[in-house]
Amino acid sequence: MTDLTLHNLTKNYGAVDVIRGVDLDIKSGEFVVFVGPSGCGKSTLLRMIAGLEDISGGDLTIGGRRCNDLEPRDRGIAMVFQSYALYPHMSVRQNMSFGLSLAGTPKAKINEDVMAAARILKLEPLLDRKPSQLSGGQRQRVAIGRAIVRQPSVFLFDEPLSNLDAALRMDMRMEIARLHKELGATMIYVTHDQVEAMTLADRIVVLEGGRVQQIGAPIDVYKSPANRFVAGFIGSPRMNFLPVSVTAATADTATVSAPSLAPITLPAKGFAAGQSAVLGLRPQYLHRQPAPGMSARVSGQVVLVERLGAETVVNLRTSDDQQVLAVLPQDAAFGAGETVDFHFEPAAAHLFAAEA
Amino acid sequence: MRIDRLFIGLGKAVAVCMLLLWSLVPIAFVVISSFKPGREIFAVPPRHIFTPTLEHYAALWSRWGVFFDGLLNSAIITVGATVLAVVASTCAGYIYSRNSSRFLNGSVLFLIVVRLIPPIVITLPLFPIVNFLGINDTHGVLMVLYATFFVSLGTVLMRTFIDQIPRELDEAAQIDGAGRLTILRRVIVPLASPGILAVAVFVVVFAWNEFLFAFIFTGTNAKTAPLVISEMIGSIDGVDWGILFAASTVQLAPVLLFVVFMNRFLVAGLTAGATKG
Ligand SMILES: Nc1ncnc2c1ncn2[C@@H]1O[C@H](COP(=O)(O)OP(=O)(O)O)[C@@H](O)[C@H]1O
Ligand SMILES: [Mg+2]
């Protein structure tokens, strides 16, 4: 159980900046998820922590010790790879004990540790199999088992579930959550899957273009995204964005309007009358029937209706040719081409500065 | 359609048969003749039914003891050259596979080009140097020479094999606490062993059969079996074909058995990289 600090960490490949100054404090025992679109630098950042990539600038400390120039084995970390990276020529038992035997651990102790890890992951019947004789899920458990045996203070996961099918992914997700509770170790987990991020993390770190966009508890990031990128990235289906113009503003409110939108006033800081801005509306916060407090509404023509049984996704086109999705929490029927209004609470909307 | 396919099938069968005849007939002739009584070897028409005899082998043993010294020399040199070439190719192939720089990328081309130069062009100038060092007529010279000829091809081959081993395995081992040499020994070598065996087959066959450099660089101490066989042809009291065929058979047998045994690895080596980058 160890604290981890990243201080202005950077990484460049020649002239290409991949990580552009990341600051982050991770508390002992915390589960932190790096999330972001493909190519944003998640893996690179994780590999810098692991010691598999050189750190171009800044400081990395693990447990108070500066680790920039330490070998991976001396950092007290273990890593689980997306491709599992099991040694194909070794049995499950040998895969799990390889690190310990290299470290010269006595045989009896190795055996004890491997058995303990195998018990946690229910791998006992598989110990003498080769990786090629295991299913994808079993391989991933072995990879996790190999990490556990090292008794690291920090576990690093790089998209460990993305090679599994959907049902197995959910099982493994819960298993990882359980492991985190049982072991109490610090875990850093990379994913582009926001469901994994939302469900596993104590805190999520949203990355884009090698920079941290927001750090916070999943629900806080969901409810108050720091910027338009985070708003669009977290939440599914994606948040709707409507161009609006600010007609009036105070210190902490703004009144905005658009052709498809009656003027509304919502909490927002730093806007001035006459500016253009972007209004963000989560599809789930749009309702067919107005409830108390839902003083705002957006209207458009129904283009497409997807009825999924438990919910209905309605795709609208507004008069100013914007697309708006609404997710209704039950089965509902709409006629194509019908003009409809959806209601929402102004406070549930977000206002962002228009793109330059 | 039917007819076409029949002709293609027939053509293939004929081609395979021709190829087999072409490569097997001389070998069969040598091996069978070595068991024929002396007078019957060149009988016209050839005798297909005869009483096998070991007389030529007995004569080889009693009159050409030097041939068996030659076999021993060949064995020592072959093993040495193979070990050298395999170790060097594996290490170099690993470096080429896992690192990339302008120098490395350029030198791959050099490795291939250098194979196109006739070996004799490089070898003859070595003669005075070898003499000067006083290592003429030693096993070591031929071991190093033979190994050298195969390190370039071996390196390219090993790189292709090692390229197929995912880098995450190196990284996982690195996190497990393995240094480069440990990764090579405990992860790369076991997984690249088909490639290693393929390289070994190439070197073994070459070193065991090689004549020209053995002729240039050895005299008596390190004389290899092919040299002794050539002496049999040139011996004063006329060529005793029976003994010559017996010696050829003895010379042929180990490498033939080795290649047949290693066949599947050899094929794997020749097709490395064909299916997976
Ligand atoms: N060896 C490299 N040389 C140059 N660019 C690289 C190298 N490795 C990764 N990158 C670049 O760094 C960026 C981040 O990569 P990565 O960390 O793998 O992204 P992620 O894991 O978030 O998908 C990508 O744009 C990628 O092209
Ligand atoms: Mg990645």
Side-chain angles (χ1 to χ4, degrees):
Chain A
M1 290 217 271
T2 316
D3 291 355
L4 215 101
T5 63
L6 282 60
H7 180 66
N8 196 20
L9 225 50
T10 61
K11 171 79 189 174
N12 59 287
Y13 292 107
V16 186
D17 291 323
V18 176
I19 300 294
R20 303 159 186 252
V22 170
D23 288 297
L24 180 62
D25 285 319
I26 297 174
K27 286 189 289 295
S28 187
E30 202 174 7
F31 199 125
V32 171
V33 174
F34 295 168
V35 65
S38 177
C40 70
K42 309 177 294 288
S43 295
T44 305
L45 189 58
L46 192 77
R47 293 164 55 84
M48 287 159 74
I49 296 172
L52 296 172
E53 299 282 355
D54 292 336
I55 293 171
S56 305
D59 291 306
L60 168 71
T61 66
I62 300 177
R65 197 165 47 133
R66 187 171 183 276
C67 286
N68 287 42
D69 304 314
L70 285 188
E71 288 292 316
R73 64 172 159 227
D74 300 323
R75 296 188 183 197
I77 52 104
M79 183 154 165
V80 176
F81 294 82
Q82 177 175 0
S83 62
Y84 319 138
L86 298 178
Y87 311 120
H89 55 300
M90 298 185 196
S91 67
V92 169
R93 185 192 306 277
Q94 288 166 327
N95 263 282
M96 287 167 64
S97 59
F98 187 60
L100 292 182
S101 70
L102 286 181
T105 312
K107 279 238 166 59
K109 166 88 172 115
I110 292 180
N111 200 35
E112 194 179 302
D113 290 356
V114 169
M115 289 315 289
R119 211 167 305 126
I120 294 175
L121 291 163
K122 303 184 189 68
L123 289 171
E124 289 132 314
L126 307 177
L127 279 175
D128 293 311
R129 293 217 198 153
K130 290 275 172 64
S132 58
Q133 299 165 310
L134 301 176
S135 70
Q138 290 170 334
R139 284 179 208 184
Q140 193 51 276
R141 294 226 302 280
V142 175
I144 295 172
R146 180 171 65 182
I148 291 177
V149 169
R150 289 180 51 73
Q151 301 184 336
S153 41
V154 183
F155 281 86
L156 306 174
F157 295 90
D158 191 358
E159 310 219 12
L161 308 186
S162 55
N163 285 351
L164 302 178
D165 61 50
L168 208 51
R169 206 177 305 161
M170 191 155 137
D171 293 347
M172 285 302 296
R173 206 172 69 210
M174 295 189 210
E175 187 142 352
I176 290 175
R178 173 178 70 88
L179 270 177
H180 179 241
K181 283 213 184 64
E182 267 180 53
L183 301 172
T186 311
M187 294 189 173
I188 305 178
Y189 186 106
V190 163
T191 182
H192 65 267
D193 180 325
Q194 48 171 302
V195 178
E196 286 172 28
M198 296 295 288
T199 52
L200 287 170
D202 293 325
R203 279 195 301 162
I204 67 181
V205 176
V206 184
L207 288 167
E208 153 71 355
R211 284 202 181 84
V212 172
Q213 302 295 320
Q214 188 168 5
I215 303 177
I219 204 66
D220 294 341
V221 173
Y222 182 82
K223 286 197 169 151
S224 26
N227 55 40
R228 189 175 160 183
F229 171 79
V230 176
F233 188 76
I234 301 290
S236 170
R238 205 172 94 98
M239 186 184 275
N240 298 300
F241 293 112
L242 293 175
V244 294
S245 39
V246 181
T247 52
T250 68
D252 41 27
T253 67
T255 305
V256 300
S257 68
S260 56
L261 193 75
I264 56 167
T265 303
L266 72 161
K269 286 189 165 62
F271 289 89
Q275 257 184 328
S276 45
V278 174
L279 186 74
L281 287 171
R282 292 218 183 270
Q284 290 82 356
Y285 290 175
L286 294 175
H287 298 274
R288 191 73 183 93
Q289 303 299 334
M294 292 186 189
S295 55
R297 82 195 135 78
V298 57
S299 52
Q301 254 191 348
V302 175
V303 180
L304 183 71
V305 183
E306 294 174 308
R307 297 167 68 180
L308 306 176
E311 57 180 33
T312 308
V313 183
V314 186
N315 192 332
L316 295 185
R317 186 150 294 281
T318 64
S319 55
D320 51 342
D321 212 24
Q322 300 295 315
Q323 177 182 284
V324 173
L325 290 186
V327 175
L328 306 179
Q330 70 280 324
D331 185 35
F334 290 87
E338 197 182 335
T339 301
V340 291
D341 287 345
F342 281 108
H343 304 267
F344 61 95
E345 286 182 43
H350 305 273
L351 196 61
F352 304 104
E355 263 156 25
Chain B
M1 276 280 282
R2 266 276 152 77
I3 303 283
D4 278 5
R5 216 178 289 166
L6 189 72
F7 272 113
I8 292 173
L10 211 64
K12 273 185 193 164
V14 170
V16 169
C17 285
M18 301 258 288
L19 212 66
L20 277 178
L21 280 176
W22 186 53
S23 50
L24 284 185
V25 162
I27 296 176
F29 176 75
V30 168
V31 173
I32 292 170
S33 298
S34 74
F35 293 104
K36 279 185 180 173
R39 283 158 284 106
E40 296 182 16
I41 292 179
F42 292 110
V44 183
R47 300 253 173 96
H48 297 297
I49 298 165
F50 59 91
T51 334
T53 165
L54 290 177
E55 66 183 62
H56 304 307
Y57 289 89
L60 179 67
W61 181 255
S62 57
R63 285 166 48 198
W64 286 92
V66 62
F67 174 69
F68 295 93
D69 298 338
L71 279 181
L72 182 64
N73 287 335
S74 282
I76 293 170
I77 290 164
T78 299
V79 170
T82 306
V83 170
L84 268 179
V86 160
V87 170
S89 304
T90 306
C91 293
Y94 178 53
I95 302 285
Y96 273 107
S97 170
R98 295 310 195 230
N99 299 278
S100 152
S101 70
R102 202 174 299 167
F103 171 75
L104 280 179
N105 297 345
S107 61
V108 176
L109 188 65
F110 178 75
L111 282 182
I112 294 164
V113 167
V114 82
R115 286 288 299 169
L116 303 177
I117 302 172
I120 193 86
V121 172
I122 308 168
T123 312
L124 281 181
L126 279 180
F127 188 65
I129 300 174
V130 167
N131 267 340
F132 173 76
L133 293 175
I135 50 173
N136 208 341
D137 200 15
T138 59
H139 295 132
V141 175
L142 287 188
M143 284 182 197
V144 172
L145 262 182
Y146 293 165
T148 307
F149 281 123
F150 272 89
V151 165
S152 56
L153 181 67
T155 299
V156 174
L157 206 63
M158 286 314 298
R159 180 176 85 144
T160 317
F161 266 92
I162 295 172
D163 276 346
Q164 295 175 25
I165 303 173
R167 262 169 205 254
E168 284 89 32
L169 292 187
D170 300 41
E171 294 175 346
Q174 213 182 328
I175 288 176
D176 267 338
R180 274 227 150 180
L181 215 56
T182 311
I183 295 174
L184 184 61
R185 258 189 34 237
R186 303 282 300 270
V187 179
I188 300 297
V189 166
L191 293 174
S193 53
I196 291 175
L197 291 174
V199 173
V201 167
F202 282 121
V203 188
V204 164
V205 172
F206 173 76
W208 183 257
N209 293 329
E210 206 284 328
F211 178 78
L212 183 59
F213 305 117
F215 182 66
I216 296 172
F217 289 103
T218 67
T220 47
N221 283 333
K223 187 155 63 176
T224 59
L227 285 186
V228 182
I229 291 181
S230 85
E231 281 172 16
M232 292 178 183
I233 299 177
S235 82
I236 0 161
D237 41 350
V239 184
D240 185 329
W241 289 103
I243 294 184
L244 187 62
F245 288 144
S248 302
T249 305
V250 172
Q251 152 82 9
L252 191 71
V255 82
L256 205 64
L257 289 178
F258 180 71
V259 171
V260 169
F261 181 67
M262 292 293 177
N263 185 29
R264 60 197 198 94
F265 301 119
L266 191 63
V267 171
L270 293 173
T271 56
T275 53
K276 213 178 136 203

